[in-house]
Structure formats: C-alpha cells, structure tokens
Amino acid sequence: MTRRFALVGTGARAEMFVRAIADHPGTAELVALSDTSPHRIRVHNDWLRAAGRSPVPAYPAAGLATMLARERVDELIVTSVDDTHAGHIVTALEAGCDVITEKPMTVDAEGCRRILDARARTGKRVSVAFNYRFNPVHEQVRRLLAGGAVGEIGSVHFEWLLDVRHGADYFRRWHRDKAHSGGLLVHKAGHHFDLVNWWLGAAPAEVYASSRLFFYGENGRRHGYARDYERVHDSPAADDDPFALHLAGNPRLRALYLDAEADDGYVRDRNVFAPGVSIEDDMAVLVRYDTGATMTYHLTAYAPWEGYRLMVNGSRGRLELEVVENDHVSPAAAGELKGAAVHGVTANPERGHARLTVHPFWEPPREIPLPARERGGHGGADARMTAVLLGAQTDPMHRSATARDGALALLTGLAANRCLQTGAPVRVADLLDLSRPET
Ligand SMILES: NC(=O)c1ccc[n+]([C@@H]2O[C@H](COP(=O)([O-])OP(=O)(O)OC[C@H]3O[C@@H](n4cnc5c(N)ncnc54)[C@H](O)[C@@H]3O)[C@@H](O)[C@H]2O)c1
C-alpha cells in the first residue's frame, strides 16, 4: 500500500527525504510541502520538476494542520529547525498521522514530554531518523556486543572529532544559538548517545559534563583566525578566509538560502568567529547507565581530521573501533567547501579508513572484516534508513528508533547541559521520568 507523506522544513536535509520518497514509489508518495519560507518550498518543487516529477502543494508552516487534513496525509516528515520539531510532531500526531522526525527529537524536556504524551494518547508512531544506526560498521558493532564478543560491558570510551570544515558549519547559522539547536550536546552528540544506548541495550541514569566554547566565536581573535566581517556574502574580508562559506558561487546553496533571505532573514553564511555563539565546541561528558556501565565521551568541533574512536571494555575482552572519515582538510578542500559541502548530505569519498578489532583475554586480537564504504549520504546509511522508514524493507535488527529512543538520546544531552549550568551531576530521571507507564 502506498502511504501519503508530507514534509515540513524544506531546507538542505529535506532533499534526502524527497529523493528517497521518489525512490520508493511502491510504498511512498509525496503529497505536500510546508515551510516558513515559500521560496525554499518553490526550490524543492523546482527540483521535483527538473527530475521529471510533479510539484506538490505548498503550505505555510502555520497552516500545517490544514495541510495534514486537506492532503489526507498518513505520515509527516519533520526536517525543520530543531526547536520547531515538538510543535510539528504533536500537531501531526493529534491529526492522526504517524511521524518521522529528524534528530534531535526536540531540544528540551518539556517538548519531549509533550511528544511522548501525544504519542501515548493517539497511539500513533514516531520514528526518529537516527541514520548512524544504519551504518554497516555500527551494525557490526551492535552484532558483536549483543552476541557477547566482549562479555558483560563494564565501560565505554568514545571520542568524536568534527574537522574544521564540518565542525565549523554549526557556527554559521541557527545551530550557534542554543535555543534553536540545544547545543552540540543535543544536536550532534545525540547521534552518538543514541548509538551507545543501542549498542549497550542500556539507558542513561546519571550524567556529568564539563564543556566550553574554545575555538569559534570570539575566541577566533585570541587564536589569530578572526576576520572583520559579519557574514561572507558581499564581504571582501571573507575572500581568502578558509572558514568562509561562499553561497553565491554555488547554485544549490544560492537557491536554498541566499535567494530566500527576503522571506525570513535566515543568514546561512555567518562568520564562524562573529560574536553571538551560545553553544560549546569542546565537550567532555561522563555517563553512568542503568546497567552499571559508564562512558567517558568527548566531542571536539574544531579538529584537523574527521572521525571517531570507540573502546568498549568487557568481562571477556575489549572492542576497539577507529574510523577516519577524512584525514585532513587541505586548503583545496577548504576551497571546495565554497562549492560542494553542506554538512550531512555530501558524499565525500576522501582519505579515510575503518578498523574494528576484538581483543579477547588470552588471545591475539581479531580484526573484524568490514564492508566496503558505501557511497551516498552518511556512507549509505541514509538510503538504508529510508528504505526501512518508508516501508520498503523490514528491520529485523530493530535499527529504527522510537520516540523513547529519541528521548533517551536527548536526555543525555539535556542532562549534560543542565550540569554545565549547575556544576553538579544530573540524574536523568529528575529531568523526565521515562518509567511512567504511558512512555
Ligand atoms: N540525521 C542527520 O544526519 C541530519 C543531517 C542534517 C540535518 N539533520 C536535521 O535536519 C533538520 C534540518 O536541518 P537542515 O540542515 O536541513 O537545516 P536548514 O536550515 O537547511 O533547514 C531548516 C528548514 O526549517 C525551516 N523552518 C524554520 N522554522 C520553521 C518552522 N517554525 N516551521 C517549519 N519550518 C521551519 C527553515 O525555513 C528551513 O527551510 C534539523 O533538525 C537537523 O538536525 C539531520
């Protein structure tokens, strides 16, 4: 049966879902688009026309409920700015729709509670688009840990590095304001917290964090990177700045953002060292799980290379994963950013490798063969995820994340944020009690 999908939030990420729906005509049909910017909706409809498909009706975000009823929508895809997710999810559930929402599910405990209550009240489904679960390497880690490769898990050490190309992108636009994104502990680390919850089959119980803004924002002056301009477009001072994102020379970015500015004043190309940043770029977190396991976690958003290292200590040995997605950002690659890279959607087969090893006690380490890196968004994970979320494939590994999974990932970040304010460890149940029966 073909289900009728609509989407709210027609920015960069929306394109992946719109394409995926077109790739699954047997199970999914796109019937409407909504956004606060009419221009950005038109851009998506232009892309549909260019791909030989019919444009779909456009609705303002304020008319979301009307759209869901009039277009007989079965399922809403939410790809809008993070702090708008909760309102749209609840509206859709109340209208009798299922929901696929981009991560983070929302940015605060109050929004999270509203979503969980609406889901329980309506009996409708919320899937959170945690695409990292669908990465074949991450699936392999899950299989190994669930299969007891290292025995009972005692502790996890997890470090994630965002390079100065990808990491910088969070400091150009709405992400730089914690009110919109929850900060990187919610917006970005949520992916990683979700992976650990899934890998360990555990829920976070207590969180301690220490983080700061070290590199971007006004720190640029101290480190010698600051240039004197507010935004890149029409600023000669940005011409040779490797941190500058040049919208005008890229037809896709120009159409989506520069040409849409009259709608809502959304500026996509701020100087990453301009004042006004309220998020952190260097984050240390300590988590204790309900299983008794602990995790030390670090996220750095200004690294020279992009990738991550995971170490899992167990009662029968240790698992180690090293993934290098991009071993450096060359000046040429920084230049490419002017054209090609928009975080989250660029297939970037650059210099990298992945190595997964299991170290059992009393035996030499065993290297686990990994599948070749797939092309496509997030190493093929986006295509694998949408095949499941759009109903074209079954999900025997239970990779598809529920509202409860979305809440657990979110609460780790929210607890970390609370700790940054108070300096004291935070019990996750004090933010939101997920043991209540309706959740
Ligand atoms: N899973 C992933 O790997 C991944 C990757 C990229 C983005 N994302 C998520 O996708 C979402 C969108 O990110 P993006 O990079 O496309 O951002 P974007 O800024 O390109 O797009 C956001 C869109 O939301 C619209 N918007 C703003 N306020 C709105 C409102 N009240 N109602 C409806 N629409 C509104 C904006 O006009 C814009 O079109 C975010 O939640 C982000 O976390 C996930």
Side-chain angles (χ1 to χ4, degrees):
M1 194 190 69
T2 305
R3 284 168 64 77
R4 296 170 66 79
F5 283 85
L7 179 146
V8 61
T10 51
R13 184 64 174 161
E15 190 183 359
M16 188 281 289
F17 281 101
V18 171
R19 280 177 193 274
I21 291 171
D23 286 344
H24 296 288
T27 58
E29 180 190 3
L30 182 69
V31 298
L33 292 170
S34 174
D35 199 289
T36 46
S37 159
H39 180 93
R40 262 190 288 282
I41 302 179
R42 271 198 303 279
V43 169
H44 281 266
N45 268 330
D46 288 345
W47 288 342
L48 282 171
R49 272 191 211 91
R53 302 181 186 279
S54 303
V56 295
Y59 288 83
L64 191 68
T66 308
M67 174 183 87
L68 297 173
R70 193 178 293 163
E71 305 299 337
R72 294 177 290 111
V73 173
D74 295 314
E75 189 148 358
L76 179 70
I77 299 174
V78 179
T79 49
S80 51
V81 170
D82 298 351
D83 65 321
T84 68
H85 290 185
H88 295 328
I89 293 169
V90 171
T91 299
L93 293 171
E94 298 288 5
C97 302
D98 293 321
V99 174
I100 297 171
T101 179
E102 261 304 345
K103 45 54 57 177
M105 193 165 75
T106 181
V107 296
D108 54 30
E110 189 268 333
C112 188
R113 166 54 62 201
R114 283 199 294 132
I115 292 168
L116 295 174
D117 285 348
R119 204 216 57 74
R121 203 165 50 241
T122 60
K124 290 291 159 185
R125 186 182 61 228
V126 175
S127 308
V128 184
F130 279 130
N131 47 352
Y132 288 26
R133 291 185 178 201
F134 292 79
N135 177 319
V137 175
H138 301 160
E139 291 172 356
Q140 183 63 276
V141 171
R142 158 88 177 183
R143 271 192 291 271
L144 286 165
L145 295 179
V150 300
E152 182 186 335
I153 293 164
S155 63
V156 176
H157 185 61
F158 199 1
E159 180 185 29
W160 200 287
L161 300 175
L162 300 169
D163 66 26
V164 282
R165 179 171 59 181
H166 183 180
D169 207 33
Y170 298 108
F171 296 84
R172 299 194 172 105
R173 49 177 174 154
W174 51 266
H175 307 82
R176 73 198 323 259
D177 180 350
K178 218 173 212 185
H180 289 314
S181 66
L184 292 181
L185 286 164
V186 165
H187 178 86
K188 189 69 196 175
H191 271 302
H192 316 144
F193 297 148
D194 173 66
L195 277 177
V196 176
N197 295 343
W198 184 59
W199 282 331
L200 270 56
E206 191 171 62
V207 178
Y208 180 81
S210 183
S211 307
R212 64 173 166 159
L213 180 66
F214 166 75
F215 187 77
Y216 299 104
E218 288 168 278
N219 296 295
R221 203 157 298 288
R222 187 154 57 93
H223 301 304
Y225 295 115
R227 312 275 176 106
D228 198 19
Y229 66 91
E230 196 45 46
R231 64 170 302 184
V232 172
H233 187 61
D234 280 343
S235 300
D239 278 355
D240 62 345
D241 182 357
F243 289 96
L245 178 68
H246 295 262
L247 301 174
N250 180 298
R252 180 176 182 277
L253 295 180
R254 173 168 205 125
L256 262 187
Y257 302 107
L258 195 58
D259 296 345
E261 282 180 11
D263 281 355
D264 54 8
Y266 175 172
V267 174
R268 175 70 179 84
D269 63 345
R270 279 187 205 291
N271 181 346
V272 300
F273 300 113
V277 176
S278 58
I279 65 172
E280 299 81 22
D281 57 22
D282 193 312
M283 290 140 278
V285 183
L286 186 60
V287 184
R288 183 174 55 75
Y289 291 89
D290 59 356
T291 58
T294 56
M295 171 170 72
T296 46
Y297 170 85
H298 204 112
L299 175 61
T300 307
Y302 56 90
W305 61 274
E306 175 118 349
Y308 47 102
R309 290 189 174 121
L310 169 77
M311 290 142 231
V312 182
N313 300 304
S315 60
R316 297 189 183 283
R318 176 175 159 102
L319 174 145
E320 294 182 2
L321 171 66
E322 178 177 274
V323 177
V324 175
E325 294 181 343
N326 180 25
D327 69 5
H328 72 288
V329 181
S330 65
E336 277 166 28
L337 180 63
K338 295 178 181 179
V342 181
H343 93 261
V345 295
T346 310
N348 205 347
E350 287 171 288
R351 307 148 294 257
H353 66 262
R355 185 177 150 90
L356 176 61
T357 43
V358 172
H359 300 251
F361 292 152
W362 327 119
E363 289 175 31
R366 187 158 51 92
E367 184 158 351
I368 310 296
L370 292 173
R373 195 176 153 81
E374 291 176 44
R375 290 188 66 82
H378 298 103
D382 284 344
R384 295 155 70 90
M385 175 184 72
T386 47
V388 169
L389 295 186
L390 299 178
Q393 273 177 23
T394 57
D395 186 22
M397 276 191 83
H398 302 293
R399 293 161 302 177
S400 180
T402 63
R404 183 184 166 81
D405 297 328
L408 287 171
L410 171 68
L411 286 168
T412 315
L414 291 180
N417 274 340
R418 167 78 64 87
C419 179
L420 297 184
Q421 289 169 344
T422 64
V426 176
R427 271 169 29 97
V428 169
D430 289 345
L431 291 181
L432 195 66
D433 186 2
L434 289 177
S435 63
R436 271 171 49 173
E438 72 271 31
T439 56

